[in-house]
Amino acid sequence: MSDSKAATWSVHRQDDNGNRFVVATGFAESDARSIVKEYDARSHKQLYWASCEAFERGPEEVRLRFRESSKEERRTLSPARVNPMHLLQVGVGSGGIAVLDLLARHPAAEAITLVDPDVYKAHNVVRHVFPPSAVGRMKVELAREWVMAIRPELRVETLVAAVGDSQHAEAFDRIAAVADFGICAVDGEPAKYAFDALMRKHRKPWTLGEVLSGGIGGFVHGFVPEGPCYGCVASFLKRSVTTDEEKAPDYSQPGGPAPETTVPASKTSIAVIAGLQAQLASRMMKGEASDFTSLLLTLERTPGVFEEAFRPFKFPIPRSPECLICRGDAGPADLDRALAEALDRLRHA
Ligand SMILES: [Zn+2]
């Protein structure tokens, strides 16, 4: 039927990610056009248009609105292309493997270096992805096989070492120099400081995920070379709650469990925080800036700690002017002098 009055018109929308949808269909032309005008009047950023054929067929498409998009908008409209990246991940424990499983699937991931000093133990099984039959093997080897099963084309190298181990300093420098992005999923404060120092030295961005004791919530942090260091962030947050990693219950103690002051997090809460870390990493890998350095997401209402569950808190954290690690204007000589002065003050305190 060529009578335009009888043609069915649809209203289409293109969202910020370039995805196109049919908003509604079955209209006469004038109605479809007035709906588009109405949407336009609400100053939506999204693109609306009307057409009288199925969108796929295209030729009858009438674009009622065309606006030259800014560079920034074009960047968000078209799926961002990320250059191939070499990821450096330290820690493939229960949280690390969950982040790895997500980021290894990232289209930009081209190479991954996995670092972990530990053997897979029986007590790991309940919160990890590997079966009891894997007990006794190195975690990095298991993690490597996991990645290769998903993405056989990836280059995956492993290093059996603890981050910060001076015996492997050269290897860490070599890896950090070629890596594009760091993922930190290690236990313990010294390891986090050591990874921060390594990434800062080689001016590489990185993320850190921390599950709080009992899985009541967790932090994800994004670090960039020109931003605050881990020391700045840790002192800013002055955490009143201990993280699970800081006082990990010692299951390996023979003769019964050691007294536990913290409750281990569930695999579910670990997966939530790992997912957030992977999401933050994906954004940072595209070069997108965040409006926070650290994000806290509560998962359980915990009297005296968290008022409610599922509540996010964003912390934009500045560099501490006193920070010896990352003070903006500190060159090596300044750093030496600052350290000497700090030690001097301690001696005379
Ligand atoms: Zn700092």
Side-chain angles (χ1 to χ4, degrees), residues 196 200 227-233 319-320 323-327:
D196 178 70
R200 194 155 293 280
C229 72
Y230 179 69
C232 286
V233 167
R319 262 183 168 165
S320 163
C323 184
L324 292 175
I325 302 168
C326 72
R327 214 180 48 169

Side-chain angles (χ1 to χ4, degrees), residues 14 36 41 66 88 106 118 145 175 253 273-274 279 283 329:
Q14 178 170 305
V36 168
F66 182 79
L88 164 56
H106 196 290
D118 293 334
E145 287 169 15
I175 297 162
Q253 199 75 278
I273 302 307
Q279 178 67 10
R283 285 179 52 109
D329 56 348

